[in-house]
Amino acid sequence: MSTLKYVVKRLLFMLVTFFIIISLAFILVRLLPNVDAKQFGKDMSLILQRRIRQGLVDANGNKIPIMLQYFNFVKNTLIRFDWGVSEALYIGQDCFKIFLSKLPNTVLVNAYSSIVAVPLGLALGIYAALKKNKWQDHVISTGVMVLVSVPSYVYAFLIQYFLCFKLKLFPLIMEPGTDFFSWPMIRSMLPAVIALALGSIAGYARFTRAELTEVLTSEYLLLARTKGLTRGQTTVRHALRNAMVPIFPSIISEVILVLSGSLIIENIFVVPGIGALYVNSITSLDYNFFLLLSSFYTLIGLAAGIVVDLSYGIIDPRIRMGSRK
Amino acid sequence: MINKNNIPEISAEKFKFVGTDEKIHDQKFETKQVSYFRDAFHRFCKNKGSVVAAIIICILLVYSILVPVLCQTNYTLVPTDTTYLEYGKLLPRSGLFVNMGMNFWDGAGKQTLGEANYNALRAIGQETGHEIIKKVYEVRTDADGKSVYDVRVDSYISNGFTYLTLTEAQYKAIQDWQLETGVQVIYPANADKTVSNANIWYEANKKGVAKLDKEGNFVNNYRTSGGDGDYYSLRVEGDPGIEDPEASGRYRYATVTGDSSSISYKCRVFKYTYFQYRYGEEPTFLFGTNDKGQDIFTRLASGARFSFIFAICIASINLVIGAIYGSIEGYYGGWVDMLMERFSDILSRIPFMVVTTLFQLHLAKKVGVVPSLLFAFVLTGWIGMASTVRMQFYRYKGQEYILAARTLGASDTRLMFKHIFPNSLGTIVTSSVLVIPSVIFSESSLTYLGIINLDSATRTSVGTMLANGRAFLSTFPHIIFFPALFISLLMLSFNLFGNGLRDAFNPALRGSGE
């Protein structure tokens, strides 16, 4: 019962936070001078119509007071789910439709990378922890240190230069199109997937190694060994389970974070995903896109936070989230 | 269990005081006192990796501070002087390796050329007398039966010639300089005025492909028509004017335009020696030049200097705000803590990209790009520091020595900043040092993506250099290599350094984040 109460409380707080952030973002964005619709030529009337329908300007094209705009915005997005049309990037097209069409690219690239990174990272971390202070551990730890420290775009450049350009294993940029499961498409995604995966492999390996080494030195493991369990049995049945308590939530949150793209990696490998869309919307001042994507990223971040906290309780019943002391 | 009754009665007279006439003191320590920071320093020095990292950070710091100050002769510093534009995409070259004659870091790169391009390069070498082809790896024949040359080309020489329009004074100054040093800068013009490629001095077809004579030599096509009374300096080999300044068929070194009041000379100038004339030294760019001809060595240093100063500013502002906020939260606790935590909670949930963009859109025009970026970093950056300080306060505020101090009448501020804060200093120092690399990383990402534009003739950032170099990743990888190397080295050493600091200040945490 208390868990349910806790969940509801967290969800409510999340909604309030989300609302505050988006309201601030909306008001700050709309206080800026509008991008002049006239520069779009024949699409002008269309954009103007949309702005009137969205309640951003009155029938004569003049700005209406910001608070009124804000109420209209809330009404539009909540009730009609209308995020307006693109005013600079894809002139006149519906923002939300474009957003939906870009989402699969990001999700696929991230999903492939997670599928590779999580098992590999865990395996490396476990191996390093079992071989603690031997040469295998030193090699893995050094590699992890390098990969964690070096910015992801640097090894993205290295991958692009050596794998794509010198060895010609992959195309330089991602293939356009929607044929997501064809081999050329997957092959063209691979450089981005590798670049994304390397960092998170290193992250998981480091995390797992730290947790597992701590558990492996604990007394109850010694007891288990004294009782006659083999080393493998103690590791798998006793050490790993406890070590996974802090690791598991981050794996769970990976499922949600798959939705949010890496801005830089998408930029380098020209992945036509939402990360690239976000950057473009900022540089070309497409406010509707900016608001939509900002809301999206904010929501993802908030949701991931909640999922992490809740999954602590699921994986380890001893932890009661939100309980009093 | 000892029963009180079992203790035999001992009369009070049997007890006597010991040493009533001598005063008892604590023994004074014979050893030298070791302060907390000295102790931490000792522990830090035992960690070899962190010491090396600290040294690397120092080297990078010295590089970024000294180079922009000392290299004032940098060819990109004067905004009005656009000569540097002529020296784009030169490869890294170190004078040391050139003198040793090694095929490494000598400003040369491997190229695969067809016959025509190979000849064009050879022509530059032949005319100027410089060694342009450093090495021929292989000459092979491709599928079409044409020769293909795998050669090592000196990019400084193959940069070639350009047409410069000079005033009379400049023209004379170069001629005087030529006579003084014996180095040829101005070369004779091509007889065919329609040829725009300044590298061509030989007979060539319309595409610029050399027409060779039967022995495979170039046939010169220098202009000989018209007078050259204005030229009194060095002449190239084969010029009849060397023997006799009045001889017929002398080569022409300039195309004169304008009347006597505003006369100008259009000359074919060899860029390598022109650089020597302009700047008094041979062009040697340690890290090469970018596509615009800006020296990467000095530019990277100034970008790095900006990053360092910026990150240190933010780390210290965050430290101040976070320390005050976190102290109040942690010290008072209760509803003060609850309210303040909720506030920072909401603030920390705003995606950083959104904050940066909004600040950029609203403030950049009013207060400038850098201050608005600073505000964006500070707006959410202090939260991490505040929660660190808060935890430390919770840890220390219940301890007895605080109770003792409070009993003696110490005020709240005194307790906070004299008694609790110094104890948590180790953790706070560690986390504020680690703010620096994360700020540099975020800043380079933002400038790389072009969301923040810090680029100008005199200022740049590492991220912008990476973004500019990306277009030449496959053709001129050195443009992107050095900024990328710099930032990788910096991040790696800061992480190692931070780990070392953490272990040194909190020995109990040793090895937990490795």
Side-chain angles (χ1 to χ4, degrees), chain B residues 430-498:
Chain B
T430 312
S431 49
S432 60
V433 164
L434 286 175
V435 167
I436 295 175
S438 77
V439 168
I440 294 180
F441 174 70
S442 310
E443 177 252 330
S444 69
S445 308
L446 287 172
T447 45
Y448 173 80
L449 288 170
I451 292 173
I452 310 289
N453 185 12
L454 293 172
D455 201 37
S456 72
T458 51
R459 187 181 64 187
T460 188
S461 80
V462 183
T464 318
M465 295 184 75
L466 289 168
N468 292 342
R470 216 201 125 216
F472 306 97
L473 183 65
S474 49
T475 43
F476 296 97
H478 74 273
I479 298 178
I480 205 166
F481 174 75
F482 289 101
L485 180 73
F486 173 83
I487 198 129
S488 311
L489 215 53
L490 189 72
M491 291 295 142
L492 196 57
S493 0
F494 256 114
N495 267 342
L496 285 173
F497 178 66

Side-chain angles (χ1 to χ4, degrees), chain B residues 75 120-122 185 187 253 267 312 342 368 404 418 458 460 473-474 476 482:
Chain B
Y75 323 102
L121 288 183
R122 211 159 55 88
V185 176
Y187 282 80
Y253 288 80
C267 305
I312 290 170
R342 288 293 82 80
K418 280 271 177 198
T458 51
T460 188
L473 183 65
S474 49
F476 296 97
F482 289 101

Side-chain angles (χ1 to χ4, degrees), chain A:
Chain A
M1 197 57 216
S2 69
T3 318
L4 187 71
K5 204 172 148 194
Y6 174 70
V7 172
V8 171
K9 214 168 97 186
R10 281 299 302 267
L11 280 175
L12 281 179
F13 182 66
M14 175 185 120
L15 281 180
V16 172
T17 315
F18 178 72
F19 212 68
I20 294 174
I21 294 170
I22 295 311
S23 308
L24 277 177
F26 177 83
I27 292 172
L28 285 174
V29 161
R30 287 299 165 196
L31 281 178
L32 291 167
N34 253 339
V35 176
D36 193 4
K38 275 177 198 154
Q39 61 176 294
F40 306 121
K42 63 177 167 45
D43 297 308
M44 174 190 140
S45 57
L46 193 142
I47 286 174
L48 208 60
Q49 273 172 21
R50 263 319 262 270
R51 282 186 185 168
I52 293 168
R53 209 179 102 195
Q54 278 180 278
L56 298 177
V57 290
D58 64 15
N60 299 324
N62 299 318
K63 269 193 170 185
I64 60 176
I66 187 77
M67 284 324 281
L68 270 179
Q69 282 189 44
Y70 173 64
F71 284 124
N72 290 330
F73 168 74
V74 173
K75 207 167 66 192
N76 277 326
T77 48
L78 283 188
I79 298 167
R80 297 214 304 255
F81 216 72
D82 174 11
W83 289 88
V85 291
S86 169
E87 297 185 354
L89 283 173
Y90 301 87
I91 296 164
Q93 295 189 48
D94 194 85
C95 279
F96 198 70
K97 273 185 194 149
I98 301 264
F99 165 74
L100 283 184
S101 73
K102 298 267 182 190
L103 199 54
N105 289 308
T106 297
V107 170
L108 272 181
V109 169
N110 282 320
Y112 288 146
S113 130
S114 303
I115 290 169
V116 175
V118 173
L120 214 58
L122 290 183
L124 279 178
I126 293 168
Y127 187 68
L130 292 178
K131 299 275 176 190
K132 193 175 183 230
N133 290 335
K134 298 206 177 97
W135 67 268
Q136 294 98 327
D137 175 37
H138 292 307
V139 170
I140 292 176
S141 297
T142 315
V144 162
M145 190 68 209
V146 171
L147 282 181
V148 164
S149 312
V150 172
S152 61
Y153 50 77
V154 172
Y155 43 78
F157 291 140
L158 290 178
I159 288 169
Q160 201 168 37
Y161 184 70
F162 287 106
L163 297 188
C164 305
F165 176 70
K166 283 276 175 186
L167 299 174
K168 298 201 166 48
L169 289 176
F170 310 108
L172 271 177
I173 57 171
M174 191 172 148
E175 306 235 338
T178 51
D179 194 7
F180 292 119
F181 297 99
S182 67
W183 172 239
M185 189 87 182
I186 292 177
R187 191 172 150 222
S188 71
M189 275 181 193
L190 275 179
V193 171
I194 297 171
L196 277 173
L198 279 180
S200 75
I201 289 174
Y204 278 113
R206 171 153 119 162
F207 201 3
T208 314
R209 181 189 172 274
E211 291 298 329
L212 195 57
T213 37
E214 206 184 311
V215 176
L216 280 176
T217 50
S218 56
E219 315 251 291
Y220 69 84
L221 228 72
L222 192 64
L223 177 70
R225 291 278 279 151
T226 334
K227 277 179 4 190
L229 270 69
T230 62
R231 190 153 180 232
Q233 284 172 323
T234 51
T235 312
V236 175
R237 293 187 197 164
H238 293 264
L240 212 49
R241 286 199 177 187
N242 280 300
M244 285 303 277
V245 171
I247 303 168
F248 188 71
S250 57
I251 298 176
I252 294 283
S253 72
E254 188 99 355
V255 175
I256 290 194
L257 291 177
V258 149
L259 290 168
S260 69
S262 156
L263 303 185
I264 283 209
I265 299 293
E266 289 199 4
N267 178 294
I268 291 173
F269 295 104
V270 201
V271 177
I274 51 170
L277 192 63
Y278 191 44
V279 174
N280 289 340
S281 80
I282 293 170
T283 44
S284 63
L285 303 181
D286 201 324
Y287 296 146
N288 285 338
F289 262 132
F290 175 71
L291 282 173
L292 170 60
L293 290 168
S294 300
S295 324
F296 180 70
Y297 279 123
T298 312
L299 197 63
I300 296 280
L302 291 169
I306 289 187
V307 166
V308 167
D309 280 359
L310 290 183
S311 54
Y312 271 116
I314 295 169
I315 190 166
D316 189 353
R318 287 172 300 182
I319 300 174
R320 296 244 177 276
M321 290 310 294
S323 61
R324 286 171 204 281
K325 31 187 168 174

Side-chain angles (χ1 to χ4, degrees), chain B residues 141-266:
Chain B
T141 328
D142 69 358
D144 302 333
K146 286 175 185 158
S147 302
V148 177
Y149 296 81
D150 281 332
V151 286
R152 196 173 166 79
V153 179
D154 189 328
S155 65
Y156 288 75
I157 311 295
S158 70
N159 197 18
F161 293 84
T162 185
Y163 279 115
L164 272 188
T165 305
L166 304 167
T167 64
E168 189 168 10
Q170 286 171 330
Y171 187 49
K172 284 201 167 126
I174 295 181
Q175 291 190 49
D176 290 340
W177 187 82
Q178 285 192 145
L179 283 176
E180 197 184 304
T181 58
V183 176
Q184 189 93 34
V185 176
I186 302 176
Y187 282 80
N190 193 326
D192 186 354
K193 283 190 185 178
T194 57
V195 176
S196 59
N197 184 349
N199 289 338
I200 294 177
W201 55 275
Y202 39 83
E203 299 240 3
N205 66 13
K206 283 213 175 97
K207 282 182 185 163
V209 178
K211 290 180 195 159
L212 304 176
D213 65 8
K214 278 169 195 159
E215 280 97 48
N217 293 323
F218 296 102
V219 184
N220 89 51
N221 191 26
Y222 291 133
R223 190 182 310 153
T224 52
S225 59
D228 71 341
D230 47 55
Y231 193 78
Y232 52 84
S233 189
L234 295 183
R235 288 167 180 277
V236 296
E237 213 173 298
D239 188 342
I242 298 176
E243 307 277 307
D244 174 13
E246 300 297 322
S248 64
R250 298 190 312 269
Y251 297 161
R252 296 281 292 116
Y253 288 80
T255 311
V256 187
T257 49
D259 53 20
S260 56
S261 62
S262 64
I263 197 161
S264 64
Y265 301 88
K266 190 181 170 200

Side-chain angles (χ1 to χ4, degrees), chain B residues 77-92:
Chain B
L77 270 183
V78 186
T80 50
D81 179 9
T82 52
T83 318
Y84 68 84
L85 288 173
E86 294 288 342
Y87 297 91
K89 300 171 191 169
L90 299 182
L91 299 180

